[in-house]
Amino acid sequence: MSRAALLVLADGRFPAGGHAHSGGVEPAVKAGRVHDAASLASFCRGRLHTAGLVSASLAAAAALGLDPLALDEAADARTPSPALRATARKLGRQMMRAARAAWPSASLDALAVARPRGAHQPVVLGLAARAGGLSGLDAAHCVAYEAVSGPATAAVRLLSLDPFDATRVLAGLAGELDAVAASAALAASEAVVEGLSALPAASAPLLDVMAEAHAAWPVRLFAS
């Protein structure tokens, strides 16, 4: 197991395209739901325990060696918003390019051939983690952190929020992030025995609604 590989994969400078996406915080800011550090913390907490948990479990399952094509279908079934499905595949395509450059592997190559327009990003990240010698829990931690760090970083730009306040929000969520990653990794290990129905399917309807509205905006700062 390589902790250095984990740092590379979780690094915000890893060229996977996440900087262009707000994780739903842009429409939340426009709607007035996120307007300061406290409301950002609430938003990130909700995202972590819903979309973050689901994505982390998919990544952990891929890192454990479950069929990535079946996981990609499971991700589709757990993503009711067409806009979010398109975003996940766009991010997956970019993640695939970066992952194959960093950790060349037959499994990444096979998924790239099977899903030329992009597989869901957590599935690709899980395969990248496996290729880098990481565990399911490592992959879950990467995705869970990404679920909150992306919106926090976007909020700094959207609200001119003090970066120290955004960092305090992330630090305050550290315990919950660990718990979500552990739950996701446990669900993934159960899925190895019980099948993909063991993976969580937590929903965040407001994120879905806001994503569809955001996709129709003629002018926006972030792609999603």
Side-chain angles (χ1 to χ4, degrees):
M1 190 178 299
S2 170
R3 292 302 180 212
L6 176 59
L7 293 174
V8 171
L9 190 57
D11 193 334
R13 291 163 293 189
F14 190 71
H19 64 279
H21 299 265
S22 78
V25 85
E26 183 169 27
V29 166
K30 184 173 182 179
R33 295 186 176 93
V34 174
H35 50 83
D36 58 11
S39 55
L40 174 63
S42 295
F43 176 90
C44 288
R45 178 172 290 109
R47 194 171 195 277
L48 174 64
H49 287 277
T50 54
L53 173 63
V54 171
S55 294
S57 70
L58 290 164
L64 290 179
L66 275 71
D67 180 2
L69 293 179
L71 288 170
D72 193 55
E73 293 177 358
D76 253 359
R78 288 162 172 77
T79 311
S81 162
L84 289 180
R85 288 198 297 272
T87 295
R89 293 190 180 282
K90 184 181 298 183
L91 285 169
R93 187 166 61 249
Q94 181 67 23
M95 169 65 73
M96 179 66 79
R97 293 178 61 195
R100 292 173 79 187
W103 301 286
S105 76
S107 59
L108 285 168
D109 292 343
L111 183 59
V113 171
R115 294 287 188 272
R117 299 182 66 181
H120 278 257
Q121 189 260 12
V123 179
V124 180
L125 187 147
L127 280 187
R130 183 175 177 85
L134 300 176
S135 69
L137 181 59
D138 289 330
H141 265 109
C142 280
V143 173
Y145 178 69
E146 184 181 74
V148 294
S149 62
T153 300
V156 171
R157 295 174 62 186
L158 291 162
L159 294 170
S160 297
L161 189 69
D162 189 326
F164 293 106
D165 289 337
T167 300
R168 187 176 73 245
V169 167
L170 295 177
L173 291 169
E176 291 176 65
L177 194 154
D178 285 343
V180 166
S183 295
L186 177 60
S189 65
E190 291 173 345
V192 172
V193 178
E194 301 173 14
L196 297 187
S197 61
L199 298 178
S203 63
L206 191 54
L207 283 178
D208 295 332
V209 170
M210 290 193 299
E212 291 301 311
H214 183 266
W217 290 5
V219 178
R220 53 185 185 245
L221 184 60
F222 292 92
S224 71

